[in-house]
Amino acid sequence: MRNWATSTKLWATLALMWVGMLVLVGWTAYDKRAGLLEERIASLEYFVGSARDMVTSLATRAEHGELTLEEAQARAIESLANLSFGEDGYIFAFDSDIRIVAHPRRTLGDSMRDFQDKNGLYLYRELKETADRNPRTGGFVGYMSQRSQAGSEQVPKMSYVQRVPGWNWDLAAGVYMDDISAAFWESLIELGVLLLGIGILLTLAMGWIIRDVLGSLGGDPRHAREVVRRIAGGDLTQALALKAGDESSLLAGIESMRLRLVASLQSVHRGTERINAGVDQIVVGNQDLSARTEQQAASIEETASSMEELTQTVGQNAENAHVASQLALEARQTAHQGGEMMANVVSTMQGIAQSAGRVKDIIEVIDSIAFQTSILALNASVEAARAGEQGRGFAVVAGEVRTLASRSADASREIRTLIETSHQQVGQGAELVERTGSTIRAVVDAVTRVTDLMEEIASASGEQRIGIEQVNTAVGQMDQVTQQNAALVEQAAGEASALREQVAMLVQEVMWFRIEAQQRPGHEAPIWQPALVHDPLPQSRAELA
């Protein structure tokens, strides 16, 4: 049975259903026959038992002297003659000599010892022997008998016999069994017709179900089972044999699943190869990026150090510019004082000689200021040269300041010469004082301009210091971010390596499936190589087969 096809098994199931229904009908008819027989036997026992009780009561009355024996037996015979069982059932009695005591169809006193049925059975002898074996409960005897209304035909009959104690009478009654058999066959025919109708309906329904099931399966499920086992074992090369136009059955669904698995695995094969190549490129790129990031981090670190030194230098320049601004402010104040003094010189020309020494000191101060201004201008030029493009304007101003300082020095020398000759040229003092006053006023203006320029230089240097500090802070942040980027690049390189290992494992897992047809015997199966060009998914089964 294991080798049977599914259709054979289904039709065998239908045949077994027919056999089961036939057995059920036969058993039902047989059970009905047994029930009728049991009912007849029970009725027969009750009927004979009632007659026996009645006769026994008369025998008891005769024993007690209520009735004479003859009178009691006569009443018993009369009562038995009036008893009937069903349509043609009756009760009869015979004594120990097997002579008729009571019988509606036979003469009283007839000997029935030699009576036989058509099968040669001595009926009355058999009844007497049954009563002798079971005097209390009696027993049954089957034989053939002729119905009174059925001509000469004999039919099966069953009699039940019981003995009346004291008189040694045997009471018996019989029932015909042919009506039970007729009822059995009638019931069997009725159930057979019902079975035939129900069976035809069930056969049609089962036929339609079998056809629908086979259509839903699309073929023998054993074939699908073998293909599914091969698919579970990684073999996707074997196609299912489908009927023409079958697209909705179980086998068609399995074949569609197989084709889709083949297409998906081919795509996975190609995708894993491309992913593997991409991961390799990512690993190489991450390594290069890591090296470049480390180099950039080193460069930014050096830049940060340089910016820190530059910040310190600019800070020093800003402090120097502030000092120069203070000195220029003092020089301006001194110049103003010199102007006031020259005004006094104009009005007090007579005290020039006495204050020549004082003027000499003032000239020395002016020389010192000029010298310091020249030095500051020189420092400013140097700082402007260091500042580069942003220090061009400052270099020009420094040149002007240097020029003014040089002029201040020249004027101072001239004043010194004039003072030295003042004693000789008192007459020309007024003119010289006037010229000196003009020169001093020019010096005051120049010193004022230098002071303003120095204040602007100091302000610019402060702003540069703030800006360079901000740049230094930004470079420090860039250094920190670069270090973080380097760490992230190293982490990405590690993750890319792990991803490459995972892709290799995925390729090994996918390689477990075989999606190409086997070669001929004696030829080694080709090792699967990933496609170099992305082919589109096959659109039909023919493309995948």
Side-chain angles (χ1 to χ4, degrees):
M1 293 181 63
R2 292 183 178 179
N3 297 325
W4 287 6
T6 302
S7 58
T8 304
K9 292 180 180 179
L10 293 174
W11 288 114
T13 302
L14 180 61
L16 289 175
M17 182 187 70
W18 270 100
V19 172
M21 289 190 298
L22 290 173
V23 172
L24 178 62
V25 167
W27 180 83
T28 303
Y30 179 80
D31 184 68
K32 183 177 181 180
R33 179 179 180 279
L36 291 175
L37 180 61
E38 184 178 357
E39 181 182 355
R40 291 287 181 88
I41 290 175
S43 300
L44 188 61
E45 287 180 349
Y46 178 76
F47 178 66
V48 175
S50 300
R52 176 176 175 274
D53 292 340
M54 180 192 67
V55 175
T56 301
S57 64
L58 292 174
T60 302
R61 292 178 63 185
E63 290 178 358
H64 290 96
E66 296 180 4
L67 296 174
T68 62
L69 178 61
E70 291 77 8
E71 186 178 0
Q73 290 180 350
R75 289 187 180 183
I77 293 171
E78 184 179 0
S79 298
L80 292 175
N82 294 326
L83 294 177
S84 63
F85 179 69
E87 296 181 358
D88 52 0
Y90 56 89
I91 192 169
F92 60 94
F94 57 92
D95 55 16
S96 57
D97 294 330
I98 312 180
R99 293 180 179 277
I100 295 298
V101 175
H103 199 296
R105 299 179 183 178
R106 298 190 182 276
T107 305
L108 299 181
D110 288 346
S111 175
M112 304 299 296
R113 181 177 296 274
D114 297 328
F115 181 80
Q116 296 180 344
D117 64 357
K118 71 174 185 177
N119 294 326
L121 176 68
Y122 290 95
L123 175 60
Y124 285 87
R125 294 181 185 179
E126 188 68 24
L127 291 173
K128 185 176 186 309
E129 291 177 0
T130 302
D132 291 339
R133 288 193 300 268
N134 302 295
R136 293 182 176 275
T137 59
F140 292 92
V141 177
Y143 58 97
M144 300 297 294
S145 177
Q146 180 179 351
R147 283 183 177 271
S148 60
Q149 300 176 356
S152 59
E153 182 181 2
Q154 291 191 351
V155 295
K157 190 175 183 181
M158 178 73 67
S159 291
Y160 178 70
V161 59
Q162 273 192 333
R163 178 159 294 172
V164 178
W167 289 0
N168 287 327
W169 284 8
D170 292 327
L171 301 180
V175 291
Y176 292 98
M177 306 298 293
D178 58 341
D179 55 346
I180 295 179
S181 298
F184 167 75
W185 288 109
E186 182 180 359
S187 175
L188 187 62
I189 292 173
E190 291 177 354
L191 292 175
V193 172
L194 181 62
L195 170 65
L196 182 62
I198 295 175
I200 291 174
L201 293 177
L202 289 177
T203 301
L204 294 176
M206 285 294 296
W208 180 81
I209 292 173
I210 291 172
R211 181 178 179 183
D212 183 69
V213 168
L214 294 178
S216 299
L217 294 176
D220 193 354
R222 292 180 299 174
H223 180 47
R225 180 182 60 190
E226 294 299 327
V227 172
V228 170
R229 285 180 178 177
R230 288 196 296 269
I231 292 175
D235 185 7
L236 300 175
T237 61
Q238 300 296 325
L240 276 77
L242 301 177
K243 297 180 180 179
D246 185 6
E247 295 181 355
S248 61
S249 66
L250 174 62
L251 296 184
I254 295 175
E255 177 65 10
S256 177
M257 177 191 69
R258 187 191 68 83
L259 296 176
R260 185 57 185 170
L261 283 175
V262 170
S264 298
L265 289 173
Q266 288 176 345
S267 299
V268 170
H269 286 170
R270 293 189 291 268
T272 50
E273 179 65 18
R274 290 194 295 272
I275 291 172
N276 198 12
V279 169
D280 291 337
Q281 294 177 0
I282 290 173
V283 170
V284 175
N286 281 335
Q287 292 175 353
D288 294 340
L289 181 59
S290 177
R292 289 195 298 270
T293 303
E294 291 178 357
Q295 294 176 359
Q296 184 181 6
S299 299
I300 290 177
E301 187 175 359
E302 293 177 358
T303 302
S305 299
S306 300
M307 288 301 298
E308 186 176 359
E309 294 177 358
L310 180 60
T311 301
Q312 294 176 358
T313 302
V314 171
Q316 292 177 358
N317 291 337
E319 292 178 359
N320 292 334
H322 181 69
V323 172
S325 176
Q326 295 294 329
L327 292 175
L329 180 61
E330 292 176 0
R332 184 175 64 179
Q333 292 175 356
T334 303
H336 280 294
Q337 290 177 1
E340 292 176 357
M341 290 174 65
M342 287 305 296
N344 293 327
V345 169
V346 173
S347 62
T348 59
M349 190 64 181
Q350 294 81 10
I352 291 176
Q354 292 82 6
S355 59
R358 184 179 178 184
V359 171
K360 185 178 181 179
D361 295 335
I362 293 173
I363 294 303
E364 290 177 355
V365 172
I366 293 173
D367 288 337
S368 177
I369 293 173
F371 178 73
Q372 293 178 357
T373 303
S374 178
I375 291 175
L376 291 175
L378 180 60
N379 291 333
S381 298
V382 173
E383 295 300 327
R386 289 183 179 178
E389 185 69 20
Q390 296 180 354
R392 287 185 178 181
F394 183 70
V396 174
V397 174
E400 293 291 331
V401 172
R402 188 175 182 182
T403 301
L404 292 174
S406 178
R407 290 174 62 189
S408 297
D410 294 339
S412 177
R413 285 194 296 272
E414 291 176 1
I415 292 171
R416 183 184 296 277
T417 302
L418 290 175
I419 293 300
E420 290 177 353
T421 60
S422 62
H423 293 283
Q424 299 175 1
Q425 297 177 353
V426 174
Q428 298 177 357
E431 184 180 356
L432 292 174
V433 169
E434 182 67 24
R435 290 173 62 185
T436 301
S438 299
T439 302
I440 290 176
R441 283 193 296 272
V443 171
V444 170
D445 294 336
V447 171
T448 301
R449 289 195 300 272
V450 170
T451 302
D452 294 337
L453 290 175
M454 293 305 295
E455 288 179 354
E456 292 178 358
I457 291 171
S459 177
S461 297
E463 293 178 356
Q464 288 179 357
R465 181 178 183 180
I466 295 173
I468 290 176
E469 288 178 352
Q470 293 177 352
V471 171
N472 190 21
T473 302
V475 170
Q477 293 178 353
M478 289 174 59
D479 185 21
Q480 183 179 3
V481 172
T482 304
Q483 295 294 336
Q484 294 177 353
N485 290 338
L488 290 177
V489 168
E490 293 179 358
Q491 183 179 1
E495 293 295 334
S497 299
L499 179 59
R500 180 167 56 184
E501 295 177 358
Q502 293 295 326
V503 170
M505 293 176 60
L506 177 61
V507 170
Q508 293 298 325
E509 290 294 331
V510 173
M511 288 286 290
W512 184 69
F513 289 95
R514 290 184 288 115
I515 58 177
E516 295 181 356
Q518 299 292 331
Q519 291 187 344
R520 293 176 299 174
H523 291 75
E524 193 178 42
I527 299 177
W528 175 79
Q529 296 292 339
L532 297 179
V533 180
H534 178 67
D535 296 330
L537 292 177
Q539 300 298 323
S540 65
R541 297 174 183 169
E543 296 178 2
L544 292 173

